[in-house]
Every structure is written in structure tokens, then in C-alpha cells.
Amino acid sequence: MEKEQELFASIVKKMSRHKGVKVGRMMSAPGITSGGKVFAFYWKKEMIFRLGKEFDAVAFGLKEWHLLNPFKERPPMAGWFCVPYSESRHWEELARRALKALRASGPSV
């Protein structure tokens, strides 16, 4: 297992301690869900977080990131932030923030 995958697995384990958080899938990639909705996943050696359109990656302190853009013919997916391993020190906190954002966006899950 590569270092990126190992870190993702450890974050999944920690996040699974939260009520209702489970392992899931997004775009055939391993993910973390709450209430059946993915809030973070691992894809192409990056973690992708659903943080919402209002999240300010620069103010948070990220130097390297980009919006998720899996479709060639469509614009990037607003609110989905891809964070490379070079910024992995932030992955766990971003996963917590993504869970919090998901829970704040709808009924308690």
C-alpha cells in the first residue's frame, strides 16, 4: 500500500468513529459517507473533499489544490476540493470540516 493510501485508510478509521460515518464509493474510488452521501474520497493519489462553495482554500492555508473536474466537457464541480499528498498534513482536518459541512447542509445524519 502506498503512503497516500495508508494515510487515507487511517483517516477513514478515525472518521468511522463518528456516528453514521461509513465507507463508501465515489466515481469507483474509496470514500467516506454519512447518511449515504460522500463527503470525502481518495482518487489519483489525492483526497477530495466536499467542503462547499463558500470554503476558502487559501484562507485555510492550502498552497496546492484544485477543484474536482472529472468531466472534459463540463466545468469543475463547485465545492469539491482536490488536495494532493503534498498538503496531506491538512487531510484529517479537511475530512472533519467536510463532514461538518455535509451535516450542516441538511437533516442531521
Side-chain angles (χ1 to χ4, degrees):
M1 187 180 291
E2 296 180 36
K3 61 187 175 188
E4 299 91 349
Q5 290 172 307
E6 287 178 8
L7 179 56
F8 174 74
S10 74
I11 291 170
V12 169
K13 186 175 181 180
K14 289 177 185 176
M15 294 304 296
S16 294
R17 295 179 189 144
H18 294 271
K19 183 180 180 184
V21 173
K22 298 178 180 175
V23 175
R25 299 203 68 75
M26 174 82 163
M27 299 183 340
S28 300
I32 316 169
T33 69
S34 179
K37 294 185 178 185
V38 174
F39 63 89
F41 66 102
Y42 177 79
W43 187 52
K44 296 185 178 182
K45 297 190 178 195
E46 296 182 316
M47 270 197 78
I48 294 81
F49 305 93
R50 183 181 183 189
L51 295 162
K53 295 176 186 177
E54 65 285 339
F55 179 75
D56 187 339
V58 175
F60 178 78
L62 292 176
K63 291 180 177 74
E64 295 181 59
W65 62 275
H66 58 95
L67 293 176
L68 179 61
N69 192 3
F71 311 110
K72 292 179 182 177
E73 302 294 322
R74 295 185 186 169
M77 295 174 69
W80 285 89
F81 293 80
C82 303
V83 182
Y85 187 75
S86 60
E87 296 276 3
S88 63
R89 68 188 176 283
H90 298 294
W91 283 7
E92 189 174 337
E93 174 61 24
L94 290 169
R96 284 194 297 269
R97 286 178 179 238
L99 175 60
K100 185 177 179 180
L102 175 66
R103 290 183 171 173
S105 70
S108 240
V109 286

